[in-house]
Amino acid sequence: MHVTYDMRIGGTEMVIKNIIEGNADASIEMSIYCIEAPLGPWGEDLKASGTPITVEERQPGFDKSLISKIRRHIKENNIDILHCHQYTPWVYGALAAAFTKTKVIFTEHGRFYPDSTNWKRKLVNPLLNKLTSAVTAISEATRDALVTYEHIKKSDIDVVYNGIKPLEPSIDEISSLKTLLQLPKNAVVFGTVARLDPIKNQSMLLEAFAQAEKHITDAYLLIVGDGELMDSLTQQASKLGLEDKVIFTGYKANPTNYLAIMDIFLLPSLSEGTSMTLLEAMSIGKPCIVTNAGGNPEIVAHMQTGLVTENEDKEDLRKALIKISESEKMRTSFSEKGVARFYDLFHVSKMMVQYSKIYMKVLEN
């Protein structure tokens, strides 16, 4: 049983969805227990397709009653493994499963920026870890953060990269989408897909693009997503004189075809675990430029599948934008090697093999 906050649209939720949909082992039955409401669209879809899902909204503060409810649920449903996703679900799940036959797995999906710790976690986490059979992190950077800030031994943590199914863009719709967005035939389209949030650092991206596009013929920037910074970012683009060069699409439930019309995918985040949109871009052969934040440089191999720039370095990003635009040979090479790297490391089947091994291992111990 997967224990998580909810099943709204997000990276953690996509991992759970992919694990469930990618499970080909008939001997493994999966369910979901959400500790917050509403359930969310992906949860509703999984529920409709037959996945058992329970939603028990936790109360403000530390909800002791939630521990009892999870404990009762795992006993009544004969749950062998609780796979807890993110820190708070792990706390409730580990305590609920204590002194039962149920094994606990904790997966850390990402970190806050800037990262921090406190004395409570330093005291409690080693105890929680004793109640836990396996700990996984979605990148080496995330694993190292668990060691530094959560006081979990490095030797106790396995790295399991997120895995997805490759995207399948609609070739027929791509041309009409370019027309809809009024992109010239020879446009060089840079793009990103992310919520408009300070941690994604689209503000720096606009600054770097404003400088770079002066040296790139027909350069355009496509920003797909919505969020708290929509107004400030559109105003910033206007002040930079980019009204005709930057396209804000707003939120798109399925951005596949938008990714497909991008020539270069950009991820200038201040912090990342394993970005799902970055994996999606790689799956369809998009050369990528990313900051060396979190798991980004583990996904993009610098000068092999893309370019990795210094975090929060506008000048480094500007140079990378120009460099990649000047060499079609580089872009083609990055594209081909990026697809190969995706299938080697980040296809959903790779993730499923690793989690299946962990599931079997904890049951044996």
Side-chain angles (χ1 to χ4, degrees):
M1 184 172 76
H2 298 277
V3 184
T4 186
Y5 286 110
D6 55 55
M7 284 302 294
R8 287 177 276 187
I9 295 173
T12 300
E13 295 78 12
M14 183 182 284
V15 170
I16 297 170
K17 183 173 182 285
N18 287 346
I19 291 174
I20 292 173
E21 293 179 342
N23 175 37
D25 189 336
S27 69
I28 300 177
E29 297 179 358
M30 295 194 182
S31 61
I32 300 173
Y33 195 105
C34 297
I35 65 171
E36 291 187 355
L39 174 58
W42 283 348
E44 297 293 352
D45 290 345
L46 287 168
K47 193 173 184 179
S49 64
T51 299
I53 299 179
T54 301
V55 179
E56 189 67 61
E57 189 170 7
R58 63 176 171 145
Q59 300 304 306
F62 186 69
D63 185 1
K64 294 180 181 178
S65 68
L66 181 57
I67 298 172
S68 300
K69 291 171 183 175
I70 297 174
R71 189 180 184 86
R72 182 167 59 250
H73 185 92
I74 63 178
K75 287 184 174 181
E76 290 175 352
N77 292 275
N78 196 31
I79 302 297
D80 295 299
I81 299 173
L82 279 190
H83 190 165
C84 303
H85 298 266
Q86 298 186 319
Y87 184 81
T88 299
W90 176 43
V91 172
Y92 285 105
L95 294 175
F99 308 112
T100 71
K101 75 176 184 68
T102 306
K103 306 292 186 178
V104 175
I105 298 171
F106 165 44
T107 294
E108 178 63 281
H109 289 267
R111 305 294 302 174
F112 291 111
Y113 180 84
D115 219 331
S116 62
T117 188
N118 58 51
W119 67 267
K120 290 182 181 178
R121 292 194 173 194
K122 188 173 183 178
L123 179 66
V124 170
N125 289 353
L127 299 176
L128 289 175
N129 201 35
K130 289 183 181 298
L131 300 173
T132 303
S133 297
V135 178
T136 73
I138 61 170
S139 68
E140 292 180 5
T142 305
R143 176 201 61 198
D144 294 345
L146 286 178
V147 174
T148 302
Y149 299 105
E150 303 298 350
H151 314 285
I152 299 173
K153 290 192 298 184
K154 187 174 182 178
S155 59
D156 288 343
I157 307 169
D158 291 315
V159 174
V160 180
Y161 288 117
N162 289 344
I164 65 166
K165 298 175 184 177
L167 295 186
E168 297 180 358
S170 172
I171 303 301
D172 294 336
E173 295 178 11
I174 290 172
S175 179
S176 59
L177 183 57
K178 284 186 175 181
T179 301
L180 178 66
L181 296 173
Q182 299 181 329
L183 288 167
K185 184 177 180 180
N186 297 322
V188 179
V189 183
F190 296 90
T192 188
V193 181
R195 70 184 184 276
L196 306 187
D197 182 277
I199 203 167
K200 298 300 182 181
N201 211 8
Q202 291 102 346
S203 179
M204 183 192 73
L205 173 57
L206 287 174
E207 296 281 352
F209 179 77
Q211 295 298 315
E213 67 91 18
K214 299 173 183 176
H215 305 277
I216 307 170
T217 304
D218 288 329
Y220 287 79
L221 177 59
L222 186 61
I223 298 179
V224 181
D226 202 352
E228 62 180 273
L229 296 184
M230 175 62 88
D231 289 342
S232 65
L233 290 172
T234 53
Q235 290 171 15
Q236 181 183 2
S238 179
K239 289 179 182 178
L240 291 169
L242 297 174
E243 299 99 323
D244 299 327
K245 289 287 189 174
V246 179
I247 302 169
F248 292 91
T249 70
Y251 170 74
K252 299 296 176 183
N254 182 1
T256 297
N257 291 333
Y258 288 86
L259 270 168
I261 65 175
M262 298 174 188
D263 296 299
I264 300 102
F265 179 77
L266 310 174
L267 194 65
S269 307
L270 296 169
S271 177
E272 283 288 350
T274 300
S275 167
M276 292 300 199
T277 51
L278 178 55
L279 299 185
E280 288 173 340
M282 286 178 62
S283 78
I284 54 174
K286 298 302 171 182
C288 301
I289 300 176
V290 301
T291 51
N292 63 351
N296 286 349
E298 298 171 49
I299 300 172
V300 176
H302 182 57
M303 289 302 296
Q304 295 181 44
T305 66
L307 300 176
V308 180
T309 66
E310 290 297 318
N311 200 354
E312 208 168 2
D313 189 329
K314 178 178 67 176
E315 178 62 14
D316 204 21
L317 179 56
R318 180 193 71 83
K319 291 177 180 178
L321 296 174
I322 296 172
K323 182 175 184 177
I324 203 168
S325 70
E326 290 178 337
S327 176
E328 185 175 347
K329 182 179 179 181
M330 176 185 286
R331 295 197 298 275
T332 300
S333 177
F334 287 172
S335 174
E336 293 172 352
K337 291 178 181 177
V339 170
R341 185 173 176 83
F342 168 80
Y343 279 94
D344 283 344
L345 296 174
F346 305 112
H347 190 277
V348 64
S349 62
K350 303 293 184 180
M351 177 180 71
M352 283 307 305
V353 166
Q354 288 181 275
Y355 277 128
S356 293
K357 288 180 178 177
I358 292 170
Y359 294 157
M360 294 303 105
K361 183 178 179 180
V362 302
L363 287 178
E364 292 170 359
N365 295 334

